[in-house]
Amino acid sequence: MVLSSCSFTWISPSFSPKLNLPQSNYLPCNTATSSPNNTAFCALETISTGESHCQRRPLLLGIGALTANLPLTNLAFAREKPDRYQAFVDYEDGYSYVYPRDWKEFDFLAHDSAFKDKILQLQNVRVRFIPTEKKDIRDLGPMEEVIYFLVKHRYAAPNQIPKINGMEERTIDGKHYYTFEYILTSPNYSSASIATIAIGNGRYYTLIVGANERRWKRVRDELKVVADSFRLLDI
């Protein structure tokens, strides 16, 4: 993956390691400098198409607003950010992803970050992580066995019938990700979701993005972009 850097100038004495950056078509692909505890993200040119809560204050950036120098590998996924999406980067906790830019942040129990549709609140994305001694998602076992166990025994409630619609493994910059789509059906309600799981930094990360199953055909492709955008950052 070809990497670029971003160069900006910071005008505030404080810097948050967790950034929710607005979508922009004007920020160049370029560098950054910062201490190891800081987070930075450059919104590059676009392409067509919880128990650990932190108050994340949106940081509005313009050209010439920020100076930070991060390892370029932590900015790689920026090149893939599609139009109509906004980037969220948590350098402190070691992950990043994109979400629809008209969604808003909210607290989701036991999750580190979460965003939801302003009107359809069941349409949301959330990320959590737990400590692990494993080094790679493959250390959990074969993909099919791992995903079947998770959906049936971890994600589905006792009164829900789980169905797995598909799964895939992706390798990006040497890191492995399992992404899978599933439906949970209860007597009165059904939800559809796409999850991405990965291991790095001594943590087992889970991103889940989902919606009411009745709307799934309309929003599935949009939400798949979110699930596929999840990246681990080296911390």
Side-chain angles (χ1 to χ4, degrees):
M1 185 175 293
V2 178
L3 306 180
S4 333
S5 54
C6 292
S7 187
F8 303 107
T9 306
W10 178 257
I11 56 175
S12 167
S14 61
F15 191 81
S16 170
K18 301 171 188 287
L19 297 185
N20 173 23
L21 303 185
Q23 184 270 348
S24 170
N25 294 331
Y26 302 105
L27 298 180
C29 335
N30 315 316
T31 8
T33 1
S34 81
S35 69
N37 294 324
N38 287 340
T39 299
F41 177 86
C42 293
L44 304 184
E45 70 271 13
T46 60
I47 61 175
S48 60
T49 356
E51 236 81 53
S52 175
H53 294 311
C54 297
Q55 284 303 104
R56 293 173 169 79
R57 291 170 292 181
L59 179 63
L60 300 180
L61 297 181
I63 295 177
L66 167 69
T67 302
N69 222 347
L70 294 179
L72 297 183
T73 53
N74 294 342
L75 302 176
F77 94 109
R79 280 195 172 279
E80 302 171 5
K81 185 175 70 60
D83 198 7
R84 300 182 297 104
Y85 289 82
Q86 199 157 297
F88 178 83
V89 175
D90 188 339
Y91 187 71
E92 181 180 62
D93 292 317
Y95 68 91
S96 60
Y97 60 95
V98 303
Y99 62 93
R101 67 186 182 196
D102 58 347
W103 286 15
K104 64 180 181 179
E105 188 176 17
F106 76 111
D107 285 337
F108 196 99
L109 183 63
H111 286 69
D112 189 63
S113 65
F115 294 88
K116 64 183 177 182
D117 188 280
K118 291 181 179 179
I119 300 172
L120 304 166
Q121 299 191 4
L122 295 177
Q123 214 160 283
N124 61 66
V125 59
R126 62 265 191 197
V127 174
R128 67 179 299 178
F129 53 81
I130 58 174
T132 181
E133 294 183 358
K134 305 291 186 183
K135 303 299 182 184
D136 188 276
I137 197 67
R138 291 177 171 179
D139 295 341
L140 296 179
M143 178 177 66
E144 293 81 2
E145 294 180 12
V146 170
I147 291 172
Y148 176 82
F149 176 83
L150 285 174
V151 174
K152 183 174 177 59
H153 299 288
R154 292 289 181 265
Y155 298 167
N159 68 333
Q160 291 179 316
I161 299 172
K163 177 184 177 183
I164 299 172
N165 284 343
M167 60 183 75
E168 62 180 322
E169 178 181 355
R170 293 172 298 123
T171 301
I172 303 169
D173 294 336
K175 297 179 174 64
H176 302 112
Y177 303 80
Y178 292 167
T179 297
F180 48 100
E181 180 178 339
Y182 62 95
I183 296 174
L184 301 178
T185 302
S186 58
N188 300 315
Y189 174 76
S190 292
S191 65
S193 303
I194 303 176
T196 294
I197 59 176
I199 289 177
N201 304 314
R203 297 169 174 181
Y204 168 36
Y205 297 84
T206 301
L207 176 147
I208 297 177
V209 58
N212 187 312
E213 190 194 5
R214 288 179 297 179
R215 288 184 49 80
W216 190 243
K217 288 184 178 179
R218 281 183 281 176
V219 301
R220 189 259 181 198
D221 290 347
E222 176 185 32
L223 301 188
K224 182 69 161 56
V225 171
V226 178
D228 286 348
S229 74
F230 186 71
R231 299 288 186 274
L232 298 183
L233 309 179
D234 296 322
I235 58 175

